[in-house]
Amino acid sequence: MATPRVRFRNITATAPSHRALTDVSFELAPATIHALVGDGGSGKCIITDILAGAIHPDSGVIEINGAPQRIRDPRHARDLGIAVASRGIVDDLSIAANVFLGHWPRRRVTRVIDFPRMHSAARDALATLGVELPVTQPARGLPAAQRQLVAVARAFASGADVLVLDEPAAGLAPDHVAALHRAIAAARDRGATILYITRRVDEVLTLARTVTILRAGRTVLTAPIADVTREQVLREITGGPRTMEFPKRESAPGPPAVRVRGLAVRDRVHAVSFDLRAGEVLGLTGYAGSGCSALARALVGDLRAAAGEVTIGDATGLFRKPRRALAAGMMLVPAERIRTGLSLDRPIRENLSLAAHDQLPTGGLVTRRAERDLALRLLAELSILSAGPDCLAGPLAAVDQQKILFGRFLASRARILILDDPTRGLDAASRHEIYMLINQLVAQAVAVLMISPDPAELLGTCDRIAVMHAGCLAGILDNTNRDVTPTHVAQLAQGAEA
Amino acid sequence: MTNDADHPQPVLAAPWLVRLPALRTLLLLVVIVVAMTILTGGAFTAPDNLVDLTRQVSFEALIAFGMTFVVVTGGIDLSVGALVALTGVVAGLVLRATPGWSEPVAIGVALACAVAVGLAAGTLSGGVVTRFAAPPFIVTLAVMLVARGAASTLCAAQPVTDLPPALASLSHGFVAQGAFARLDHWLAGTTVDAESAGRWLPVPLLIMLIGFVVFHVLLTRTVFGRGAVAVGSNATAARLAGIPTHRTRILVYALTGGLCGLVGVLHDASGMTADPAAGQMWELSIIAAVVLGGTSLFGGRGTITGTLFGAFTIGALANGLTILGAAPYWRNVTLGAIILAAVIADAAQHRRDHRWGGNAPG
């Protein structure tokens, strides 16, 4: 067998997020596709960071072409022929300049940037991925899925022969996934070595030659894909048979808690109407750019709605600010917990009471005692693992951070909860905890609107599933008996008639 | 007056001095006071000097309390020095325009006008910062130029003099000539003499201490203060949690402007003249006091206690250097060095507090 292009030997490392790798070993054979699968929190990102030179292992050896190497920094990684498809997109540079970020093609004599060559090369690189983008335009405003493709194109165009792709297909429509996979296979045929990192096993079963499974920072299995079954891989990822991934719940939907009629956001959402009932979970899904998140933000007034009506109780109208929606009893828990949900550098108690200042029994003043009482009650109710209400929110585990936001909702006494991808980045056990929590809320007749890019999650948790396509509501599927299939959802998401 | 109330349990494995910035500032203050006392051979702690020192510190500390709110929301206000001049001139002109009025009434009206002008200027800054999402640095720089220019225009660049004598007591007066002093002397077993009875609590210091209590409670115990902290720590999270983020931002600038109005009148009283050149460079020592007090320029972290200590530290340093006969530029060099050190400490703390930012999938 040929010398491995890259080899991890007994690597132990710690990331700033306190996640760790322990004694990780695997090797990438030249000109093959190697799948690295594992749940969120299994340590995939640390491997990416090590290969990019952003994190240095505490112990162990990395061999490049058989020679031990210390990858000093991202520039050194590139010199070694390693390209990591990072999502850092510079909004103000053109798409083409982003594809060639840092190594723009230059004219021979004057050494100024050769724009025509850069533009055509960028167009070609993106065309192999099956997309056509206005490469001379600034990257600002590109939807997330296309940003991802730009990042992948950057890795492809870098000239490196080791390509590290972290969830390259996340949020892509099926035909784009197919084009992406064709491009990856073509790169392999040209001699590139590809590390394909994902948590979705089905993406790589037919594509990769070898699979390495990572669980809780350790490699639990490395084998040729031909030698393992899909079920075996899934079992190894979670470390046991998948028991009761989605907890059952008695659903008894009540009267509509929110009526939405003709809600529209300029260019993003077109005349969406639906009812959300008390005591039900309504799922909302669609491919990237279909407008789910925009719809949620417009509902609470975080995004300006162009038209429509939202009725809660007797009040009808549009909320202009999240504050108004909250006063009417509706709260949004956004997808990016860290960036838009939590104050990492503030104590847990302040994070919990943020939306409940008017609920504290101290007449307009926020006293530490009242706040701590509230926090202690919520920490217990949500079984959040922490050293107490005065700890900062930053060091908490991802699942506990998400629970803090549930706690904020409970403290506010709002009755309508909009969750945007509440299990993003959580492992299976943590997701289970979140589902339990949602069931708990529903049992108290809270109305939940849950957005998720993962149909399986919605099939397991929602009473009804609304599917968006290109800003329109493509249909609402009744899932009371948990009998909707992913195919139903996919058909609607692709724009087929219900 | 420790800072326990603000940081109850330092649960992270950071040294307590790092988690309690106000205490760190107090330590620095003590060191500087001791050093100055020794270096000046006691001249620094002479009663007359201390009264001068507290007067100057009180002016800047009052504005620094407002500045703490601005900085906690992640903003900055460069217009404060110019607003002291503008509001001072407005008050002076009002006083000169009301010669027939009883002095306390005239002073009250002048004070109200000065505060109103300060509030308006602050609201303008805050309004532009929020409405147009403009950088506060440039917005308040522009307001600074406008205010400084307006101050000179209003009084034709000539200091307004002939202010009513009663005004002086606002800056040079002392409270508790009676009760406190008598109590003090009764405890000491001496009798009251007029000289020492008059030397108890300078009026500006009293006003500043009242301001300290009010603003400390406002920042740590009220919905408004919590909102300001939340806006500075994570504005999106605050908005989604129903905090009126725009209103909060505008109010912190208005608050600071109003305080400039109050100090503008006190400053008139200290020199018995309304000078359009007053408050030069104050913005720098005020921001230095806030930063030195442990308030983060990144927003979301700050205490009024720290700012109080910071203001005293900078005042003591400037005053001591003057007594020592150091040229004024040495004061600036020292001030600059202190700001640099405080900013480096702040940035390091910010990195520590946000090291979990990479908690995303993976």
Side-chain angles (χ1 to χ4, degrees):
Chain A
M1 194 170 163
T3 314
R5 182 68 180 83
V6 177
R7 184 171 179 194
F8 272 50
R9 277 177 55 189
N10 312 103
I11 294 288
T12 295
T14 318
S17 59
H18 297 290
R19 301 200 185 284
L21 288 185
T22 316
D23 201 20
V24 164
S25 300
F26 63 90
E27 52 191 56
L28 308 183
T32 61
I33 300 171
H34 190 110
L36 181 68
V37 294
D39 264 330
S42 59
K44 294 174 300 188
C45 282
I46 310 183
I47 290 184
T48 323
D49 285 348
I50 289 174
L51 284 169
I55 290 180
H56 302 119
D58 302 330
S59 67
V61 179
I62 295 169
E63 288 177 7
I64 309 283
N65 291 332
Q69 278 284 4
R70 184 172 174 277
I71 305 176
R72 286 193 301 272
D73 51 40
R75 176 175 282 272
H76 187 214
R78 220 176 71 204
D79 293 343
L80 293 168
I82 300 172
V84 176
S86 66
R87 305 218 165 98
I89 300 287
V90 184
D91 278 343
D92 292 310
L93 289 178
S94 72
I95 292 173
N98 267 292
V99 168
F100 289 97
L101 194 67
H103 48 276
W104 299 289
R106 291 190 283 186
R107 288 184 192 278
R108 196 160 298 145
V109 181
T110 55
R111 308 304 291 157
V112 296
I113 294 176
D114 186 348
F115 284 99
R117 188 148 66 93
M118 181 171 85
H119 290 153
S120 70
R123 237 176 246 121
D124 293 347
L126 288 165
T128 60
L129 297 174
V131 283
E132 204 174 302
L133 298 176
V135 294
T136 55
Q137 294 300 308
R140 186 180 301 286
L142 271 187
Q146 296 186 350
R147 286 170 170 257
Q148 206 160 294
L149 287 176
V150 170
V152 172
R154 182 191 297 165
F156 274 52
S158 66
D161 69 328
V162 178
L163 307 179
V164 181
L165 309 176
D166 188 358
E167 293 285 3
L172 292 186
D175 47 334
H176 280 142
V177 175
L180 173 70
H181 285 184
R182 276 198 302 279
I184 292 173
R188 172 200 58 200
D189 296 339
R190 287 195 303 270
T193 307
I194 290 130
L195 182 63
Y196 192 117
I197 302 175
T198 183
R199 73 171 66 174
R200 277 167 292 213
V201 180
D202 298 315
E203 264 178 32
V204 289
L205 277 176
T206 53
L207 188 67
R209 184 162 96 186
T210 333
V211 62
T212 291
I213 296 168
L214 209 58
R215 186 172 76 224
R218 293 170 184 273
T219 37
V220 290
L221 176 86
T222 292
I225 286 239
D227 297 355
V228 293
T229 62
R230 179 176 183 274
E231 285 63 39
Q232 197 181 349
V233 173
L234 285 174
R235 202 163 53 241
E236 290 292 347
I237 289 175
T238 53
R242 288 169 79 118
T243 51
M244 279 300 297
E245 188 180 354
F246 301 107
K248 279 203 169 48
R249 141 182 107 236
E250 295 299 321
S251 53
V258 192
R259 275 176 207 281
V260 180
R261 291 291 175 268
L263 189 67
V265 179
R266 206 162 65 92
D267 295 340
R268 291 160 87 172
V269 178
H270 311 294
V272 168
S273 302
F274 63 90
D275 287 352
L276 174 60
R277 294 188 294 241
E280 80 162 345
V281 181
L282 173 62
L284 183 61
T285 190
Y287 293 128
S290 61
C292 295
S293 294
L295 172 62
R297 289 178 58 204
L299 265 178
V300 298
D302 190 36
L303 196 66
R304 184 178 293 275
E309 263 183 17
V310 178
T311 309
I312 297 179
D314 304 330
T316 296
L318 279 173
F319 299 112
R320 287 194 298 117
K321 291 170 181 170
R323 189 157 49 92
R324 303 269 168 81
L326 197 64
M330 182 159 64
M331 184 192 265
L332 168 68
V333 171
E336 294 181 50
R337 284 187 289 282
I338 302 268
R339 202 171 60 74
T340 60
L342 286 171
S343 293
L344 298 180
D345 54 356
R346 303 304 309 174
I348 289 171
R349 60 181 160 83
E350 288 185 20
N351 273 290
L352 281 170
S353 73
L354 194 59
H357 287 151
D358 54 337
Q359 306 278 353
L360 293 172
T362 39
L365 288 188
V366 183
T367 66
R368 205 151 31 105
R369 180 190 301 261
E371 199 172 57
R372 190 178 280 152
D373 289 347
L374 173 78
L376 284 172
R377 183 167 64 74
L378 289 169
L379 288 176
E381 195 174 328
L382 300 167
S383 43
I384 294 171
L385 287 179
S386 76
D390 293 323
C391 298
L392 303 191
L396 289 178
V399 62
D400 288 324
Q401 291 183 336
Q402 185 68 319
K403 285 188 192 171
I404 294 279
L405 296 179
F406 276 79
R408 188 182 289 170
F409 171 76
L410 286 174
S412 75
R413 307 204 182 153
R415 305 293 297 160
I416 303 154
L417 177 60
I418 304 175
L419 295 166
D420 194 350
D421 204 359
T423 61
R424 177 182 290 185
L426 298 184
D427 59 29
S430 306
R431 283 205 299 271
H432 187 80
E433 282 190 65
I434 297 295
Y435 302 145
M436 296 286 281
L437 213 51
I438 292 173
N439 285 0
Q440 214 173 307
L441 292 176
V442 170
Q444 296 163 25
V446 167
V448 179
L449 177 65
M450 175 168 162
I451 301 175
S452 171
D454 179 8
E457 177 172 86
L458 296 179
L459 299 176
T461 51
C462 298
D463 301 299
R464 292 185 300 149
I465 300 169
V467 186
M468 302 267 296
H469 167 73
C472 299
L473 190 60
I476 299 184
L477 302 162
D478 186 359
N479 191 37
T480 315
N481 303 316
R482 304 288 181 270
D483 53 0
V484 174
T485 67
T487 326
H488 290 137
V489 176
Q491 275 168 358
L492 285 179
Q494 286 165 44
E497 291 300 311
Chain B
M1 218 187 287
T2 68
N3 198 31
D4 278 350
D6 303 323
H7 293 272
Q9 286 172 19
V11 288
L12 289 171
W16 58 275
L17 267 183
V18 175
R19 299 301 317 172
L20 293 175
L23 224 51
R24 190 174 47 188
T25 316
L26 180 61
L27 206 66
L28 182 63
L29 173 60
V30 169
V31 168
I32 286 178
V33 167
V34 170
M36 286 303 173
T37 308
I38 295 170
L39 288 175
T40 60
F44 180 74
T45 43
D48 279 337
N49 187 53
L50 285 184
V51 167
D52 279 352
L53 170 65
T54 53
R55 182 175 301 124
Q56 183 59 30
V57 167
S58 298
F59 292 167
E60 297 196 352
L62 272 170
I63 299 174
F65 295 154
M67 184 73 83
T68 306
F69 278 81
V70 172
V71 174
V72 153
T73 62
I76 198 140
D77 190 344
L78 298 181
S79 67
V80 287
L83 285 183
V84 167
L86 174 62
T87 56
V89 167
V90 166
L93 291 175
V94 169
L95 285 171
R96 228 171 34 184
T98 54
W101 298 19
S102 84
E103 287 191 355
V105 172
I107 291 171
V109 170
L111 182 64
C113 291
V115 170
V117 168
L119 281 173
T123 308
L124 174 68
S125 297
V128 173
V129 165
T130 52
R131 176 68 182 79
F132 302 102
F137 190 91
I138 298 300
V139 172
T140 56
L141 187 71
V143 171
M144 171 178 109
L145 291 173
V146 171
R148 184 67 73 185
S152 298
T153 311
L154 282 178
C155 61
Q158 293 303 312
V160 184
T161 50
D162 301 330
L163 301 177
L167 184 66
S169 64
L170 272 183
S171 186
H172 297 281
F174 294 84
V175 279
Q177 307 205 0
F180 280 120
R182 266 197 287 283
L183 179 70
D184 193 38
H185 285 274
W186 178 76
L187 287 173
T190 56
T191 52
V192 185
D193 61 87
E195 172 72 5
S196 64
R199 292 237 169 269
W200 227 87
L201 194 58
V203 170
L205 183 62
L206 176 74
I207 295 175
M208 189 272 276
L209 288 176
I210 293 172
F212 165 73
V213 174
V214 168
F215 289 108
H216 177 74
V217 170
L218 193 63
L219 183 61
T220 58
R221 296 282 182 273
T222 65
V223 174
F224 166 66
R226 275 307 174 69
V229 172
V231 166
S233 179
N234 189 336
T236 314
R239 193 177 67 246
L240 289 174
I243 305 283
T245 51
H246 280 200
R247 190 196 304 163
T248 304
R249 278 219 172 92
I250 293 173
L251 274 176
V252 295
Y253 287 94
L255 188 71
T256 308
L259 283 166
C260 290
L262 170 63
V263 173
V265 174
L266 295 181
H267 191 263
D268 282 357
S270 75
M272 286 308 280
T273 166
D275 184 1
Q280 298 272 18
M281 300 291 275
W282 276 25
E283 52 279 352
L284 289 190
S285 47
I286 286 168
I287 291 167
V290 170
V291 175
L292 195 59
T295 297
S296 172
L297 286 169
F298 299 96
R301 176 161 47 81
T303 64
I304 297 294
T305 320
T307 297
L308 177 73
F309 295 153
F312 267 106
T313 305
I314 281 169
L317 196 72
N319 179 283
L321 286 174
T322 310
I323 296 176
L324 286 173
Y329 45 77
W330 276 111
R331 175 181 168 274
N332 285 349
V333 169
T334 321
L335 197 60
I338 285 182
I339 294 177
L340 270 183
V343 162
I344 290 169
D346 175 35
Q349 174 74 42
H350 184 74
R351 266 175 65 99
R352 271 192 296 276
D353 281 350
H354 287 265
R355 74 193 122 167
W356 313 282
N359 228 352

